[in-house]
Amino acid sequence: MIYANECVRRKPWDLSFEAEPREVAGLRRVLRLHLTLWGLPELVEAAQICVTELTSNVIKHVGVGTPATLAVSMSGTRLRIELRDPDARALPTLLSAECEAESGRGMTLVDAVTDQWGVILRADSKVVWCELATNLTGPNGHTDSPRVAHAEEYLRLYGTTRHPRPSGSGRLSVAAREEAAIDLISDVLHWLRAHGCDPDEALDRAQTHFEAERGEA
């Protein structure tokens, strides 16, 4: 059996910044990096749209240089993005598609690319949040992939053989699977050298294949 719901650690994170136009590009880069590391590259574009529009709303309606905080986490199997600012009065507005006014179009974009969004009002601040759907089976799971599924099965078998557990101790933990993966890679490198192959060249080729396939995903 493949346990796919505990293989990626997606810890909540937040980033404080001043709401200025020059900060938007940096926020987009940070978001791309984190979502790529989280195995969610397919959400990068939509998430960047959300962060850009939510930040632009703060700049336009609260003020340039307003201290704000971007927070990203998993809400079940959804990706949750929050933008906090200190003004509980300037609320985001969703305009109808036929409206010609420029103000409010940002939230129309957010509404179009997200599953849901809303506002949390506090005494001296507000949080505008939105959630994007994923095809994850759990908040720490991975998206469907034959490669990942095969690796999960190999690591389960290899880890159980290399690191025997007491009877009834349950499945391998994330940390145990990580150690099993390192041991497996090390053993494969020994096998390559024993058969006259260059382990470094094999690693380079594997990395090249990995990067190419990740780019196609």
Side-chain angles (χ1 to χ4, degrees):
M1 181 177 181
I2 298 173
Y3 300 105
N5 62 338
E6 288 188 349
C7 62
V8 181
R9 300 169 184 172
R10 300 185 178 98
K11 295 182 179 180
W13 59 272
D14 57 61
L15 177 65
S16 298
F17 65 98
E18 293 184 353
E20 299 182 359
R22 64 183 180 183
E23 293 290 332
V24 174
L27 293 174
R28 289 170 62 91
R29 286 194 297 271
V30 170
L31 193 60
R32 174 181 290 277
L33 174 61
H34 276 274
L35 293 186
T36 300
L37 291 174
W38 280 7
L40 301 172
E42 70 279 2
L43 296 184
V44 168
E45 183 176 357
Q48 287 181 330
I49 288 174
C50 294
V51 169
T52 297
E53 298 305 330
L54 295 182
T55 303
S56 296
N57 269 354
V58 175
I59 295 172
K60 292 177 183 178
H61 303 298
V62 183
V64 176
T66 298
T69 301
L70 170 66
V72 179
S73 62
M74 295 301 298
S75 177
T77 59
R78 290 189 176 97
L79 177 72
R80 184 179 178 92
I81 297 173
E82 298 180 354
L83 195 67
R84 308 168 190 163
D85 72 71
D87 193 333
R89 298 167 300 171
L91 302 181
T93 303
L94 179 63
L95 299 182
S96 60
E98 62 271 13
C99 182
E100 296 181 357
E102 293 185 4
S103 177
R105 288 193 178 277
M107 293 312 299
T108 301
L109 282 174
V110 172
D111 185 67
V113 301
T114 63
D115 256 23
Q116 55 187 3
W117 65 274
V119 182
I120 301 173
L121 293 178
R122 295 170 179 162
D124 57 353
S125 65
K126 71 174 179 292
V127 176
V128 183
W129 60 269
C130 57
E131 293 183 352
L132 290 82
T134 72
N135 60 350
L136 299 175
T137 57
N140 297 314
H142 56 68
T143 55
D144 292 335
S145 165
R147 291 267 186 163
V148 175
H150 293 161
E152 284 280 342
E153 184 65 11
Y154 295 151
L155 291 177
R156 184 185 69 81
L157 295 172
Y158 186 86
T160 302
T161 302
R162 187 70 179 267
H163 304 283
R165 293 162 293 152
S167 177
S169 61
R171 60 188 173 185
L172 286 174
S173 66
V174 175
R177 283 202 297 267
E178 183 177 13
E179 288 301 315
I182 293 171
D183 285 343
L184 177 57
I185 293 170
S186 178
D187 285 350
V188 169
L189 294 178
H190 281 292
W191 183 92
L192 287 167
R193 182 176 296 279
H195 287 77
C197 303
D198 186 341
D200 291 330
E201 180 183 353
L203 282 175
D204 289 341
R205 289 170 59 191
Q207 183 69 24
T208 298
H209 291 171
F210 170 72
E211 295 293 343
E213 291 171 0
R214 188 174 65 173
E216 294 172 358

